[in-house]
Amino acid sequence: MNVAAKIATLQPVGVSSVNDAEELQVFRDPACAAALWQREMPADVEAWLAGLDPAVLPNARVVVPTTAVKEVARQLCDLAKMPEGPHLDWLVQDISELANNFAVLMGCDHLRLRLQAISTNACRKFHRDAITGRLVCTYRGRGTQYGTSVEGADPMNVFNVSTGVPVLLRGSLWPPTPAAGLLHRSPPIEGTGETRLVLVLDPVSGPEEDE
């Protein structure tokens, strides 16, 4: 049994683990509440990001055509004064590829893109977002936490998305079946000195949808 298969057996009901981007199509299956692409970031990129001064990490939110994601991601990194080089090239390319795959999956031509440095307990409560679907990828620091809620209570068993692993999460605007009860949150890090770098992608109908 491969690693992804072993992880899949431990996941809550409605959470699928896949081995490559093409298998993320499972997210459209009615029984799927979330999908994780169990991949590994290049070790040198992860070490590079971990060693950067938090002051040079991007912190922006924009609505962008999917065709312009790569250019915009580069601009956001340049504005933050992230160091140039192959590691930055990998990050920008990865953001672009994730955005393109997600846009095709969701059938949209614009995305709300957040590339955010986080050092507080952002979204610390377990919840579902008021959207159709969302892609989250934590490039630095601890990833998203999730679990199954029973009657609205916080999950008893909390799972953690690994650094560099994209997770697709259904929101409350997705057709409401099945009711998997899956909730998620940002990991509580306030006071630890940790700064995360998180990519969040939401499908939007056009550039005017900026709220």
Side-chain angles (χ1 to χ4, degrees):
M1 181 181 292
N2 63 33
V3 172
K6 290 180 180 178
I7 292 172
T9 63
L10 303 175
Q11 294 291 352
V13 173
V15 178
S16 297
S17 293
V18 305
N19 293 312
D20 56 51
E22 292 182 358
E23 293 179 347
L24 288 173
Q25 290 290 334
V26 71
F27 189 59
R28 301 202 64 88
D29 188 311
C32 183
L36 296 103
W37 178 4
Q38 298 290 357
R39 63 173 194 171
E40 292 186 5
M41 279 179 62
D44 57 331
V45 175
E46 187 172 352
W48 174 76
L49 283 167
L52 289 178
D53 186 328
V56 303
L57 298 177
N59 199 350
R61 186 183 84 162
V62 294
V63 172
V64 58
T66 56
T67 54
V69 167
K70 186 173 183 179
E71 178 183 357
V72 170
R74 172 69 68 172
Q75 291 173 352
L76 296 179
C77 293
D78 289 345
L79 286 171
K81 302 189 183 305
M82 294 185 80
E84 294 283 347
H87 300 119
L88 180 59
D89 293 342
W90 182 92
L91 176 65
V92 170
Q93 181 65 30
D94 193 64
I95 292 171
S96 176
E97 291 178 1
L98 289 180
N100 288 334
N101 287 329
F102 185 58
V104 170
L105 187 64
M106 300 301 293
C108 64
D109 56 15
H110 283 75
L111 293 166
R112 181 182 296 111
L113 183 155
R114 278 194 284 139
L115 189 58
Q116 190 171 17
I118 299 173
S119 58
T120 62
N121 290 345
C123 299
R124 63 185 176 84
K125 294 183 178 181
F126 282 98
H127 65 284
R128 287 181 75 197
D129 297 296
I131 54 174
T132 52
R134 169 170 288 177
L135 182 149
V136 182
C137 184
T138 302
Y139 287 108
R140 165 173 158 158
R142 282 175 275 180
T144 301
Q145 296 183 328
Y146 62 96
T148 301
S149 169
V150 178
E151 297 183 350
D154 284 353
M156 294 186 63
N157 296 316
V158 177
F159 297 77
N160 296 274
V161 181
S162 299
T163 305
V165 169
V167 56
L168 278 60
L169 298 158
R170 286 190 181 179
S172 60
L173 301 185
W174 195 281
T177 54
L182 191 75
L183 303 179
H184 68 277
R185 72 174 182 181
S186 296
I189 61 170
E190 191 164 351
T192 66
E194 179 179 341
T195 300
R196 304 166 63 226
L197 179 63
V198 183
L199 170 71
V200 179
L201 299 173
D202 298 332
V204 295
S205 58
E208 69 281 355
E209 191 176 337
D210 58 1
E211 294 299 327

